Amino acid sequence: MTTATTIQEAGDDAYRETARRGAPMAVIHEVARTRRAATEHRKGDGRAAALFLAPWFVGLVLITAFPLLASLYLSFTDYSLLRAPGWVGIENYTAMFSDPRFFQALKVTFTYVIVSVPLQLVAALGLALVLDKGLKGLAFYRSIYYLPSLLGASVAIAILWRQVFGADGLINQVLAFFGIEGQGWVSHPDYALGTLIVLNVWTFGAPMVIFLAGLRQVPTMYYEAAAIDGAGRLRQFRNITVPLLTPIIFFNLVLQLIGAFQTFTQAYIVSGGTGGPVDSTLFYTLYLYEKGFGSFEMGYASAMAWFLLLIIAGMTAVNFVASKYWVFYDD
C-alpha cells in the first residue's frame, strides 16, 4: 500500500470521526484540507508514473505489438512488398508443408539446436566449476571468457570463422604441421554445419557466468557433511552440485534453446547467404529471410515466422512441463 493511499484512508477515517463527534468546524475543515491534499498527492504520483511509462508503452505498441499483429495478418495474404497484400487464407501455411526446402531448414535447425545447446551448457558448467575454485584474477578470466558471448553473433566473428575453417585457414595449417591434409570445412556438406555448432559452443560465456553465480549460492555445509561421510568429489558433484543447480540449468536451457532457434548471422555469413553447400547450413531463419527479402514472398515468410513462434513456444512449454520431474527447488 502506498503512502498516499495510507494518508487518504487515514484522512477519511479522521474526517468521519470528527464529524460524528460534532467537532468544531475549524477542525473539520482542517481534516478536509488534509484529505484533499492526500488525494492531490496520489493523483500527482499517478501522472508522474504515466509520464515515465509513456515511452515504454509507445514502444510496445509501435515496435512490438503492431508489427506482430501485422505479420499475423500478412501470413494469410499474398504480399510481395511491391503491391498491396491479397487475402489467400491458409494457403501460405499449406504451401510450407509441400516445400522440401522448408523441411530441410527444419532438419538443419533442429540438428543444430539438439547438438549445440547441450554441448554449450556442458562447456559452460565445466568452466564455471574451474573458475569457482578460488582462481586468482577471477574477475579478469570471467570477463575474458564472457567475450565470446558478446562477439559470437557478430558479422566480424562469422567472417573470421569462415576464414579459420576455410581451405587455407588456421585449422588446416595446424593439421598440415602434423602431416594431415585438410579440406575446406565450410564448403563441405558433411562438415559445414559442424563448424557452426562449434561456433555456438564457443559462445558459452553468458551461461557460464550464470552457472558461476549459482555455484556461489550452494552452501558449503553440504560439501563438508558429504566429505565427512566419505563422499568423493565426483559423488559430491552428482548428488549435491547438480541437484542444487537444476534451476540454473533449466534457466540456461530455456534461454539457449530460444536463442539457437533464432540463429541467423553465422549461417548467413559462413554460407554466403545461400545456406550451402547443398543446403547443409540452411537454417530456418535463413530460409525465412530468403523467402521474404530474396523472393519477396513476404506472406510466406510471415507464415514461417509464426510457425517458428509456435515451435519455440511448444519447446518452451515442454521444458516447463518436464521441469517438475528433474528441477529441484530448495525451498
Side-chain angles (χ1 to χ4, degrees), residues 32-59:
R33 187 188 66 79
T34 303
R35 179 184 176 190
R36 287 195 299 270
T39 301
E40 290 299 322
H41 180 72
R42 184 173 60 181
K43 290 181 178 178
D45 284 349
R47 286 193 293 266
L51 180 63
F52 281 106
L53 288 173
W56 183 86
F57 281 113
V58 171

PDB file of all heavy atoms in Angstrom, residues 32-59:
ATOM      1  N   ALA A  32     -10.614  18.030   6.330  1.00  0.00           N
ATOM      2  CA  ALA A  32     -10.993  18.013   4.915  1.00  0.00           C
ATOM      3  C   ALA A  32      -9.840  18.484   4.034  1.00  0.00           C
ATOM      4  O   ALA A  32      -9.597  17.946   2.946  1.00  0.00           O
ATOM      5  CB  ALA A  32     -12.229  18.879   4.704  1.00  0.00           C
ATOM      6  N   ARG A  33      -9.107  19.516   4.508  1.00  0.00           N
ATOM      7  CA  ARG A  33      -7.972  20.003   3.730  1.00  0.00           C
ATOM      8  C   ARG A  33      -6.884  18.942   3.604  1.00  0.00           C
ATOM      9  O   ARG A  33      -6.296  18.741   2.541  1.00  0.00           O
ATOM     10  CB  ARG A  33      -7.393  21.261   4.397  1.00  0.00           C
ATOM     11  CG  ARG A  33      -6.302  21.953   3.573  1.00  0.00           C
ATOM     12  CD  ARG A  33      -5.655  23.056   4.399  1.00  0.00           C
ATOM     13  NE  ARG A  33      -4.939  22.498   5.538  1.00  0.00           N
ATOM     14  CZ  ARG A  33      -3.722  21.944   5.443  1.00  0.00           C
ATOM     15  NH1 ARG A  33      -3.113  21.841   4.274  1.00  0.00           N
ATOM     16  NH2 ARG A  33      -3.150  21.486   6.531  1.00  0.00           N
ATOM     17  N   THR A  34      -6.621  18.217   4.702  1.00  0.00           N
ATOM     18  CA  THR A  34      -5.632  17.126   4.677  1.00  0.00           C
ATOM     19  C   THR A  34      -6.058  16.023   3.710  1.00  0.00           C
ATOM     20  O   THR A  34      -5.244  15.467   2.981  1.00  0.00           O
ATOM     21  CB  THR A  34      -5.461  16.540   6.090  1.00  0.00           C
ATOM     22  OG1 THR A  34      -5.087  17.584   6.992  1.00  0.00           O
ATOM     23  CG2 THR A  34      -4.406  15.447   6.105  1.00  0.00           C
ATOM     24  N   ARG A  35      -7.340  15.753   3.692  1.00  0.00           N
ATOM     25  CA  ARG A  35      -7.869  14.727   2.793  1.00  0.00           C
ATOM     26  C   ARG A  35      -7.677  15.135   1.337  1.00  0.00           C
ATOM     27  O   ARG A  35      -7.276  14.327   0.496  1.00  0.00           O
ATOM     28  CB  ARG A  35      -9.341  14.515   3.110  1.00  0.00           C
ATOM     29  CG  ARG A  35     -10.031  13.482   2.238  1.00  0.00           C
ATOM     30  CD  ARG A  35     -11.511  13.439   2.581  1.00  0.00           C
ATOM     31  NE  ARG A  35     -12.216  12.532   1.718  1.00  0.00           N
ATOM     32  CZ  ARG A  35     -13.530  12.426   1.660  1.00  0.00           C
ATOM     33  NH1 ARG A  35     -14.277  13.209   2.441  1.00  0.00           N
ATOM     34  NH2 ARG A  35     -14.113  11.570   0.858  1.00  0.00           N
ATOM     35  N   ARG A  36      -7.992  16.413   1.019  1.00  0.00           N
ATOM     36  CA  ARG A  36      -7.809  16.883  -0.357  1.00  0.00           C
ATOM     37  C   ARG A  36      -6.345  16.850  -0.764  1.00  0.00           C
ATOM     38  O   ARG A  36      -5.997  16.509  -1.901  1.00  0.00           O
ATOM     39  CB  ARG A  36      -8.367  18.294  -0.486  1.00  0.00           C
ATOM     40  CG  ARG A  36      -9.895  18.371  -0.471  1.00  0.00           C
ATOM     41  CD  ARG A  36     -10.356  19.727  -0.959  1.00  0.00           C
ATOM     42  NE  ARG A  36      -9.855  20.798  -0.086  1.00  0.00           N
ATOM     43  CZ  ARG A  36     -10.507  21.267   0.989  1.00  0.00           C
ATOM     44  NH1 ARG A  36     -11.690  20.730   1.322  1.00  0.00           N
ATOM     45  NH2 ARG A  36      -9.997  22.232   1.697  1.00  0.00           N
ATOM     46  N   ALA A  37      -5.442  17.215   0.179  1.00  0.00           N
ATOM     47  CA  ALA A  37      -4.006  17.208  -0.131  1.00  0.00           C
ATOM     48  C   ALA A  37      -3.525  15.796  -0.441  1.00  0.00           C
ATOM     49  O   ALA A  37      -2.718  15.578  -1.353  1.00  0.00           O
ATOM     50  CB  ALA A  37      -3.214  17.793   1.038  1.00  0.00           C
ATOM     51  N   ALA A  38      -4.034  14.812   0.324  1.00  0.00           N
ATOM     52  CA  ALA A  38      -3.637  13.420   0.072  1.00  0.00           C
ATOM     53  C   ALA A  38      -4.125  12.950  -1.288  1.00  0.00           C
ATOM     54  O   ALA A  38      -3.427  12.241  -2.017  1.00  0.00           O
ATOM     55  CB  ALA A  38      -4.190  12.524   1.179  1.00  0.00           C
ATOM     56  N   THR A  39      -5.351  13.362  -1.655  1.00  0.00           N
ATOM     57  CA  THR A  39      -5.898  12.983  -2.961  1.00  0.00           C
ATOM     58  C   THR A  39      -5.074  13.577  -4.086  1.00  0.00           C
ATOM     59  O   THR A  39      -4.761  12.907  -5.078  1.00  0.00           O
ATOM     60  CB  THR A  39      -7.358  13.445  -3.062  1.00  0.00           C
ATOM     61  OG1 THR A  39      -8.114  12.850  -2.006  1.00  0.00           O
ATOM     62  CG2 THR A  39      -7.957  13.036  -4.397  1.00  0.00           C
ATOM     63  N   GLU A  40      -4.711  14.861  -3.961  1.00  0.00           N
ATOM     64  CA  GLU A  40      -3.896  15.506  -4.993  1.00  0.00           C
ATOM     65  C   GLU A  40      -2.522  14.859  -5.094  1.00  0.00           C
ATOM     66  O   GLU A  40      -1.965  14.714  -6.189  1.00  0.00           O
ATOM     67  CB  GLU A  40      -3.758  16.999  -4.687  1.00  0.00           C
ATOM     68  CG  GLU A  40      -5.041  17.786  -4.859  1.00  0.00           C
ATOM     69  CD  GLU A  40      -5.555  17.719  -6.284  1.00  0.00           C
ATOM     70  OE1 GLU A  40      -4.723  17.738  -7.216  1.00  0.00           O
ATOM     71  OE2 GLU A  40      -6.784  17.627  -6.467  1.00  0.00           O
ATOM     72  N   HIS A  41      -1.964  14.465  -3.928  1.00  0.00           N
ATOM     73  CA  HIS A  41      -0.650  13.807  -3.929  1.00  0.00           C
ATOM     74  C   HIS A  41      -0.710  12.477  -4.684  1.00  0.00           C
ATOM     75  O   HIS A  41       0.174  12.149  -5.466  1.00  0.00           O
ATOM     76  CB  HIS A  41      -0.191  13.582  -2.492  1.00  0.00           C
ATOM     77  CG  HIS A  41       1.144  12.919  -2.382  1.00  0.00           C
ATOM     78  ND1 HIS A  41       2.323  13.551  -2.685  1.00  0.00           N
ATOM     79  CD2 HIS A  41       1.487  11.647  -2.013  1.00  0.00           C
ATOM     80  CE1 HIS A  41       3.333  12.733  -2.507  1.00  0.00           C
ATOM     81  NE2 HIS A  41       2.845  11.560  -2.106  1.00  0.00           N
ATOM     82  N   ARG A  42      -1.797  11.738  -4.448  1.00  0.00           N
ATOM     83  CA  ARG A  42      -1.941  10.456  -5.132  1.00  0.00           C
ATOM     84  C   ARG A  42      -2.116  10.650  -6.630  1.00  0.00           C
ATOM     85  O   ARG A  42      -1.547   9.925  -7.446  1.00  0.00           O
ATOM     86  CB  ARG A  42      -3.138   9.697  -4.554  1.00  0.00           C
ATOM     87  CG  ARG A  42      -3.309   8.313  -5.148  1.00  0.00           C
ATOM     88  CD  ARG A  42      -4.385   7.529  -4.437  1.00  0.00           C
ATOM     89  NE  ARG A  42      -5.678   8.208  -4.521  1.00  0.00           N
ATOM     90  CZ  ARG A  42      -6.783   7.740  -3.969  1.00  0.00           C
ATOM     91  NH1 ARG A  42      -6.756   6.627  -3.246  1.00  0.00           N
ATOM     92  NH2 ARG A  42      -7.925   8.403  -4.089  1.00  0.00           N
ATOM     93  N   LYS A  43      -2.907  11.647  -7.026  1.00  0.00           N
ATOM     94  CA  LYS A  43      -3.087  11.927  -8.452  1.00  0.00           C
ATOM     95  C   LYS A  43      -1.773  12.354  -9.099  1.00  0.00           C
ATOM     96  O   LYS A  43      -1.474  11.991 -10.225  1.00  0.00           O
ATOM     97  CB  LYS A  43      -4.139  13.009  -8.637  1.00  0.00           C
ATOM     98  CG  LYS A  43      -5.555  12.557  -8.310  1.00  0.00           C
ATOM     99  CD  LYS A  43      -6.545  13.689  -8.545  1.00  0.00           C
ATOM    100  CE  LYS A  43      -7.974  13.214  -8.250  1.00  0.00           C
ATOM    101  NZ  LYS A  43      -8.956  14.325  -8.439  1.00  0.00           N
ATOM    102  N   GLY A  44      -0.984  13.139  -8.348  1.00  0.00           N
ATOM    103  CA  GLY A  44       0.313  13.559  -8.883  1.00  0.00           C
ATOM    104  C   GLY A  44       1.240  12.390  -9.122  1.00  0.00           C
ATOM    105  O   GLY A  44       1.941  12.336 -10.132  1.00  0.00           O
ATOM    106  N   ASP A  45       1.255  11.418  -8.171  1.00  0.00           N
ATOM    107  CA  ASP A  45       2.075  10.217  -8.358  1.00  0.00           C
ATOM    108  C   ASP A  45       1.635   9.441  -9.592  1.00  0.00           C
ATOM    109  O   ASP A  45       2.455   8.932 -10.351  1.00  0.00           O
ATOM    110  CB  ASP A  45       1.965   9.323  -7.117  1.00  0.00           C
ATOM    111  CG  ASP A  45       2.778   9.858  -5.951  1.00  0.00           C
ATOM    112  OD1 ASP A  45       3.568  10.791  -6.182  1.00  0.00           O
ATOM    113  OD2 ASP A  45       2.607   9.357  -4.826  1.00  0.00           O
ATOM    114  N   GLY A  46       0.320   9.337  -9.802  1.00  0.00           N
ATOM    115  CA  GLY A  46      -0.183   8.605 -10.966  1.00  0.00           C
ATOM    116  C   GLY A  46       0.209   9.280 -12.270  1.00  0.00           C
ATOM    117  O   GLY A  46       0.596   8.602 -13.227  1.00  0.00           O
ATOM    118  N   ARG A  47       0.138  10.601 -12.313  1.00  0.00           N
ATOM    119  CA  ARG A  47       0.519  11.326 -13.531  1.00  0.00           C
ATOM    120  C   ARG A  47       2.007  11.174 -13.814  1.00  0.00           C
ATOM    121  O   ARG A  47       2.421  11.001 -14.960  1.00  0.00           O
ATOM    122  CB  ARG A  47       0.137  12.801 -13.396  1.00  0.00           C
ATOM    123  CG  ARG A  47      -1.358  13.062 -13.528  1.00  0.00           C
ATOM    124  CD  ARG A  47      -1.630  14.541 -13.691  1.00  0.00           C
ATOM    125  NE  ARG A  47      -1.288  15.288 -12.482  1.00  0.00           N
ATOM    126  CZ  ARG A  47      -2.147  15.584 -11.524  1.00  0.00           C
ATOM    127  NH1 ARG A  47      -3.416  15.202 -11.625  1.00  0.00           N
ATOM    128  NH2 ARG A  47      -1.770  16.274 -10.469  1.00  0.00           N
ATOM    129  N   ALA A  48       2.821  11.239 -12.763  1.00  0.00           N
ATOM    130  CA  ALA A  48       4.271  11.085 -12.954  1.00  0.00           C
ATOM    131  C   ALA A  48       4.613   9.688 -13.457  1.00  0.00           C
ATOM    132  O   ALA A  48       5.441   9.526 -14.367  1.00  0.00           O
ATOM    133  CB  ALA A  48       4.998  11.370 -11.641  1.00  0.00           C
ATOM    134  N   ALA A  49       3.960   8.666 -12.884  1.00  0.00           N
ATOM    135  CA  ALA A  49       4.211   7.292 -13.332  1.00  0.00           C
ATOM    136  C   ALA A  49       3.808   7.113 -14.783  1.00  0.00           C
ATOM    137  O   ALA A  49       4.530   6.501 -15.576  1.00  0.00           O
ATOM    138  CB  ALA A  49       3.454   6.317 -12.437  1.00  0.00           C
ATOM    139  N   ALA A  50       2.635   7.670 -15.147  1.00  0.00           N
ATOM    140  CA  ALA A  50       2.176   7.557 -16.532  1.00  0.00           C
ATOM    141  C   ALA A  50       3.133   8.259 -17.485  1.00  0.00           C
ATOM    142  O   ALA A  50       3.400   7.770 -18.597  1.00  0.00           O
ATOM    143  CB  ALA A  50       0.774   8.135 -16.666  1.00  0.00           C
ATOM    144  N   LEU A  51       3.666   9.404 -17.066  1.00  0.00           N
ATOM    145  CA  LEU A  51       4.594  10.148 -17.913  1.00  0.00           C
ATOM    146  C   LEU A  51       5.872   9.361 -18.170  1.00  0.00           C
ATOM    147  O   LEU A  51       6.357   9.292 -19.304  1.00  0.00           O
ATOM    148  CB  LEU A  51       4.922  11.490 -17.253  1.00  0.00           C
ATOM    149  CG  LEU A  51       5.894  12.397 -18.016  1.00  0.00           C
ATOM    150  CD1 LEU A  51       5.291  12.811 -19.352  1.00  0.00           C
ATOM    151  CD2 LEU A  51       6.238  13.634 -17.182  1.00  0.00           C
ATOM    152  N   PHE A  52       6.431   8.749 -17.122  1.00  0.00           N
ATOM    153  CA  PHE A  52       7.673   7.999 -17.283  1.00  0.00           C
ATOM    154  C   PHE A  52       7.465   6.689 -18.036  1.00  0.00           C
ATOM    155  O   PHE A  52       8.377   6.204 -18.704  1.00  0.00           O
ATOM    156  CB  PHE A  52       8.298   7.722 -15.910  1.00  0.00           C
ATOM    157  CG  PHE A  52       9.030   8.899 -15.331  1.00  0.00           C
ATOM    158  CD1 PHE A  52       8.488   9.634 -14.285  1.00  0.00           C
ATOM    159  CD2 PHE A  52      10.264   9.282 -15.840  1.00  0.00           C
ATOM    160  CE1 PHE A  52       9.156  10.713 -13.760  1.00  0.00           C
ATOM    161  CE2 PHE A  52      10.937  10.367 -15.311  1.00  0.00           C
ATOM    162  CZ  PHE A  52      10.387  11.089 -14.274  1.00  0.00           C
ATOM    163  N   LEU A  53       6.271   6.099 -17.925  1.00  0.00           N
ATOM    164  CA  LEU A  53       5.990   4.839 -18.615  1.00  0.00           C
ATOM    165  C   LEU A  53       5.537   5.037 -20.056  1.00  0.00           C
ATOM    166  O   LEU A  53       5.513   4.075 -20.831  1.00  0.00           O
ATOM    167  CB  LEU A  53       4.914   4.058 -17.852  1.00  0.00           C
ATOM    168  CG  LEU A  53       5.333   3.426 -16.521  1.00  0.00           C
ATOM    169  CD1 LEU A  53       4.125   2.833 -15.817  1.00  0.00           C
ATOM    170  CD2 LEU A  53       6.385   2.351 -16.748  1.00  0.00           C
ATOM    171  N   ALA A  54       5.184   6.262 -20.404  1.00  0.00           N
ATOM    172  CA  ALA A  54       4.657   6.522 -21.747  1.00  0.00           C
ATOM    173  C   ALA A  54       5.599   6.076 -22.871  1.00  0.00           C
ATOM    174  O   ALA A  54       5.154   5.433 -23.830  1.00  0.00           O
ATOM    175  CB  ALA A  54       4.309   7.998 -21.894  1.00  0.00           C
ATOM    176  N   PRO A  55       6.919   6.391 -22.812  1.00  0.00           N
ATOM    177  CA  PRO A  55       7.797   5.924 -23.901  1.00  0.00           C
ATOM    178  C   PRO A  55       7.811   4.408 -24.047  1.00  0.00           C
ATOM    179  O   PRO A  55       7.856   3.892 -25.167  1.00  0.00           O
ATOM    180  CB  PRO A  55       9.180   6.459 -23.486  1.00  0.00           C
ATOM    181  CG  PRO A  55       8.885   7.613 -22.594  1.00  0.00           C
ATOM    182  CD  PRO A  55       7.637   7.243 -21.854  1.00  0.00           C
ATOM    183  N   TRP A  56       7.750   3.697 -22.912  1.00  0.00           N
ATOM    184  CA  TRP A  56       7.746   2.230 -22.983  1.00  0.00           C
ATOM    185  C   TRP A  56       6.474   1.724 -23.642  1.00  0.00           C
ATOM    186  O   TRP A  56       6.508   0.824 -24.483  1.00  0.00           O
ATOM    187  CB  TRP A  56       7.883   1.642 -21.581  1.00  0.00           C
ATOM    188  CG  TRP A  56       7.964   0.146 -21.585  1.00  0.00           C
ATOM    189  CD1 TRP A  56       9.088  -0.616 -21.742  1.00  0.00           C
ATOM    190  CD2 TRP A  56       6.873  -0.766 -21.438  1.00  0.00           C
ATOM    191  NE1 TRP A  56       8.754  -1.951 -21.708  1.00  0.00           N
ATOM    192  CE2 TRP A  56       7.409  -2.077 -21.534  1.00  0.00           C
ATOM    193  CE3 TRP A  56       5.506  -0.607 -21.247  1.00  0.00           C
ATOM    194  CZ2 TRP A  56       6.614  -3.220 -21.426  1.00  0.00           C
ATOM    195  CZ3 TRP A  56       4.713  -1.734 -21.150  1.00  0.00           C
ATOM    196  CH2 TRP A  56       5.271  -3.033 -21.239  1.00  0.00           C
ATOM    197  N   PHE A  57       5.327   2.314 -23.285  1.00  0.00           N
ATOM    198  CA  PHE A  57       4.066   1.886 -23.882  1.00  0.00           C
ATOM    199  C   PHE A  57       4.018   2.214 -25.375  1.00  0.00           C
ATOM    200  O   PHE A  57       3.515   1.426 -26.182  1.00  0.00           O
ATOM    201  CB  PHE A  57       2.883   2.536 -23.165  1.00  0.00           C
ATOM    202  CG  PHE A  57       2.519   1.880 -21.872  1.00  0.00           C
ATOM    203  CD1 PHE A  57       2.678   2.534 -20.657  1.00  0.00           C
ATOM    204  CD2 PHE A  57       2.015   0.592 -21.859  1.00  0.00           C
ATOM    205  CE1 PHE A  57       2.350   1.914 -19.472  1.00  0.00           C
ATOM    206  CE2 PHE A  57       1.677  -0.044 -20.663  1.00  0.00           C
ATOM    207  CZ  PHE A  57       1.852   0.627 -19.466  1.00  0.00           C
ATOM    208  N   VAL A  58       4.552   3.371 -25.755  1.00  0.00           N
ATOM    209  CA  VAL A  58       4.606   3.723 -27.173  1.00  0.00           C
ATOM    210  C   VAL A  58       5.472   2.727 -27.941  1.00  0.00           C
ATOM    211  O   VAL A  58       5.106   2.256 -29.027  1.00  0.00           O
ATOM    212  CB  VAL A  58       5.146   5.160 -27.354  1.00  0.00           C
ATOM    213  CG1 VAL A  58       5.415   5.457 -28.829  1.00  0.00           C
ATOM    214  CG2 VAL A  58       4.153   6.168 -26.791  1.00  0.00           C
ATOM    215  N   GLY A  59       6.633   2.385 -27.352  1.00  0.00           N
ATOM    216  CA  GLY A  59       7.495   1.394 -27.996  1.00  0.00           C
ATOM    217  C   GLY A  59       6.840   0.033 -28.081  1.00  0.00           C
ATOM    218  O   GLY A  59       6.962  -0.674 -29.090  1.00  0.00           O
TER     219      GLY A  59
END
